[in-house]
Amino acid sequence: METLVAAIDVYRDISPALYIEGWMSPIELAWLAQRAAEHERIVEVGSYFGRSTRSLADHTPGWVLAFDDWGGVREPMVDVETGKAVTCPSRETIWNKFQINLADHICSGKVRILNGDHADCSIIPPCFLAGTDAEKPDMVFIDGGHEYQEVSRDLEIWVPRLSTEGLLCGHDLSRADVSRALTDRNLNWKKVEYTDLWLIQK
Ligand SMILES: C[S@@+](CC[C@H](N)C(=O)[O-])C[C@H]1O[C@@H](n2cnc3c(N)ncnc32)[C@H](O)[C@@H]1O
């Protein structure tokens, strides 16, 4: 419990994020909020309705680049409460909800949008790869597709685009494909206690 209390500022207000549908638990949102408060150039790979985006944007002193095609979850979806299969909402519904949920931050420029396929590096600002540390993201949060190939691709794209002291983290560590992709890349990852989050240790 000591580590958790040290990692999470319990007084950060995550209530706006809690109102947005999604899979991140309150403790995960609080952890993201705390990390966001320490970083200024955040890339989120996988935003959906904006639950995690909201927690990041509400607390960073900088900006969040939300990268998604808003096509929705590609794997079969189940209802968290009933365990029954559910169909993913349409692209239009997800996109509209995201814009409503983040309207204030989109208007202010705090949330920037990268609307496209996670595999398409051509739409990523070139300075993220070739620029200085001050131009590269200092935090990347990966929560896109969870298949082995998708997680591997996202790691390959984002590891070289992160600033030297930047924080790389992601969600759904309990999925075997996620932990296998991290391990196969020899990344020194660890689980964030009491969550399904992972981070790369420096
Ligand atoms: C698990 S959801 C993200 C959840 C979000 N972080 C939250 O807090 O609710 C995964 C997201 O990744 C997006 N996604 C999956 N594969 C993608 C791809 N190849 N290109 C772009 N977006 C993708 C989906 O549209 C979906 O919105």
Side-chain angles (χ1 to χ4, degrees):
M1 209 52 190
E2 211 175 281
T3 320
L4 181 69
V5 172
I8 297 172
D9 179 344
V10 288
Y11 297 107
R12 285 197 182 278
D13 182 11
I14 54 156
S15 52
L18 289 173
Y19 281 107
I20 300 173
E21 218 180 298
W23 297 267
M24 305 278 302
S25 71
I27 208 149
E28 291 170 342
L29 292 172
W31 186 88
L32 276 190
Q34 179 62 21
R35 301 287 81 73
E38 302 158 353
H39 295 91
E40 295 185 350
R41 300 177 304 282
I42 303 173
V43 172
E44 175 182 67
V45 183
S47 304
Y48 198 59
F49 288 156
R51 188 170 165 98
S52 49
T53 325
R54 183 87 231 178
S55 193
L56 293 167
D58 280 351
H59 298 280
T60 179
W63 49 258
V64 179
L65 182 67
F67 186 12
D68 205 304
D69 63 9
W70 283 276
V73 177
R74 325 287 142 136
E75 325 96 79
M77 277 173 63
V78 286
D79 185 288
V80 255
E81 275 157 29
T82 65
K84 288 189 178 156
V86 284
T87 41
C88 186
S90 69
R91 184 184 299 264
E92 192 188 10
T93 301
I94 303 170
W95 174 234
N96 286 343
K97 282 200 181 182
F98 176 83
Q99 288 181 94
I100 291 165
N101 290 335
L102 275 303
D104 53 338
H105 287 314
I106 294 169
C107 283
S108 73
K110 189 160 215 176
V111 168
R112 304 170 183 187
I113 287 163
L114 200 53
N115 193 338
D117 195 295
H118 287 164
D120 185 1
C121 294
S122 72
I123 59 172
I124 300 172
C127 66
F128 284 7
L129 186 63
T132 63
D133 250 12
E135 293 170 297
K136 292 180 168 196
D138 62 358
M139 176 173 170
V140 174
F141 170 60
I142 296 181
D143 191 19
H146 298 105
E147 303 291 334
Y148 179 81
Q149 302 296 348
E150 296 172 306
V151 183
S152 301
R153 172 203 65 207
D154 292 341
L155 291 170
E156 265 158 40
I157 290 174
W158 288 102
V159 166
R161 287 172 171 81
L162 186 67
S163 68
T164 317
E165 293 302 318
L167 171 66
L168 183 66
C169 57
H171 196 225
D172 293 294
L173 182 61
S174 57
R175 295 197 183 212
D177 278 3
V178 174
S179 55
R180 191 158 62 88
L182 287 162
T183 303
D184 286 356
R185 255 137 219 92
N186 289 321
L187 291 167
N188 188 19
W189 61 269
K190 81 163 188 178
K191 178 182 167 71
V192 178
E193 278 185 301
Y194 309 104
T195 75
D196 204 17
L197 295 162
W198 55 265
L199 63 82
I200 303 300
Q201 303 179 92
K202 296 283 170 192

